[in-house]
Amino acid sequence: MTTTWGTSAIPLGDRADALRQTIREQVVPVELVLPRCPERVFADVVIAQIGSMQLSTVNANPATVLRTPRLAKADWEPVLFISLQVSGESAVVQDGRHAVLCPGDIAFYDTRRPYTLLFDRGVDMHFFRIPISEIALPDAAIHEVTARTLGADGSISGLASGYLSHLAASPQLHEGPASPLLAAPSMELVRAVIASEAEKPALGTGSFHETLGLRILEYMRTHLADRDLTPASVAQAHHISLRYLYAILARSDISFGEWVRTHRLDECRRELSRRPPSADTVSAIAHRWGFKSSSHFSRAFKSAFGVSPQAWRDALR
């Protein structure tokens, strides 16, 4: 699915706020420093979803993008961004490093830590957003490659630059029915870039399949509240068969249904134990964490903790 957004149809005085809201809600929560003069605020944004990877193409006015310490600590899904310069020049600042990008260059930055993007001459970029859980590499390896200029030369990063440029410039690829199939090879190429650029290559030598179990559990934790979280949805998200999913979980002696039920009950108990108490009803909390029936939730809660959810809440008041 592709979303196209632009400022041309928005009144001049509202464009800055509209642009900030679009980037915050559809791409990543950041602070945007924009031109003070309303006539100088413009942007065209195209957002496409390629499996678990999001592609954003932005052409806009000069700006500074700030991922502040407060935003970096917030409870959003951690993601890794790849900036790909189309034309002009920009800079990425993170982890004490400053990367200047020219056309064809790429750079990584991690939303778990503050960063700054500098677009003094305007924005003409492709941005690729990838969940950290999908990378399946140690944090140390990712940390080593942030805010480093990776050129469009003959290295693996050059190969990635060419591939990502072609992908971004080919709507028929990322808008077609087969676009989710591009997520897995794209992820493998990103992993190869990170592993090859790390100062300690051994940090990235772990097999993709060796980390599959960890990524599956992280995905299940992230989507725990989704009512449609099923073995089939997890298998599809990781491009594996149901049988293989069950085999991966069995290696850790995990039953899918039992794991999900146990963790959902723990989250409900945590919410019922809040001080001051939440204004939500027991049924609302149960529904929020994926339980379809209040009576089923009450029975499961009492079986797990020895008392009904209402009695648990009342006892703590």
Side-chain angles (χ1 to χ4, degrees), residues 18 21 24 32 35 39 47-48 84 97 156-157 161 163 193 198 229 244 261 309 317:
Q21 181 177 359
R24 179 174 63 248
L32 290 182
E39 288 79 6
I47 302 174
L84 170 57
R97 293 186 288 269
I156 296 178
S157 63
S161 172
Y163 170 84
V193 173
L229 178 66
Y244 191 40
R261 182 173 56 256
R317 281 179 172 170

Side-chain angles (χ1 to χ4, degrees), residues 26 37 65 98 113 133 153 161 181 192 207 225 228 247 260 270 287 308:
Q26 298 193 39
C37 180
V65 179
H98 183 113
R113 298 184 300 281
S133 58
D153 51 21
S161 172
L181 300 177
S207 164
D228 56 356
V260 171
R270 179 181 59 80
H287 186 269
S308 70

Side-chain angles (χ1 to χ4, degrees), residues 63-67 80-85 89-102 105-111 113-120 125-127 143 145-150:
T64 298
V65 179
L66 302 171
R67 178 75 171 177
L80 185 70
F81 272 94
I82 305 173
S83 280
L84 170 57
Q85 192 78 31
E89 186 177 284
S90 68
V92 177
V93 181
Q94 187 173 48
D95 298 327
R97 293 186 288 269
H98 183 113
V100 176
L101 305 185
C102 295
D105 289 339
I106 62 175
F108 293 90
Y109 46 100
D110 186 336
T111 62
R113 298 184 300 281
Y115 61 75
T116 300
L117 309 181
L118 302 171
F119 303 104
D120 294 341
M125 305 284 292
H126 299 305
F127 301 93
H143 187 277
V145 299
T146 54
R148 287 175 54 187
T149 304
L150 304 178

Side-chain angles (χ1 to χ4, degrees), residues 28-50:
V28 63
V30 290
E31 293 183 3
L32 290 182
V33 180
L34 300 173
R36 294 184 178 182
C37 180
E39 288 79 6
R40 296 185 59 203
V41 176
F42 67 89
D44 290 310
V45 182
V46 179
I47 302 174
Q49 198 67 35
I50 307 172

Side-chain angles (χ1 to χ4, degrees), residues 167-271:
L167 180 60
S170 306
Q172 69 275 16
L173 292 179
H174 52 74
E175 294 179 3
S179 65
L181 300 177
L182 296 171
S186 300
M187 212 68 68
E188 288 287 1
L189 183 55
V190 170
R191 293 180 72 250
V193 173
I194 296 172
S196 66
E197 295 291 339
E199 293 180 5
K200 300 177 182 178
L203 290 172
T205 57
S207 164
F208 178 80
H209 295 285
E210 289 174 359
T211 62
L212 183 57
L214 295 175
R215 288 185 289 111
I216 286 173
L217 289 179
E218 180 61 27
Y219 180 90
M220 289 164 63
R221 290 188 189 95
T222 302
H223 295 82
L224 189 61
D226 294 355
R227 294 172 64 84
D228 56 356
L229 178 66
T230 64
S233 68
V234 175
Q236 182 179 13
H238 292 83
H239 311 288
I240 59 177
S241 67
L242 266 176
R243 177 178 295 182
Y244 191 40
L245 171 68
Y246 288 131
I248 291 292
L249 295 176
R251 293 175 188 173
S252 301
D253 197 25
I254 292 174
S255 162
F256 183 92
E258 182 179 347
W259 188 96
V260 171
R261 182 173 56 256
T262 297
H263 283 75
R264 282 177 172 172
L265 285 170
D266 285 340
E267 291 298 332
C268 290
R269 180 176 63 169
R270 179 181 59 80
E271 290 208 31

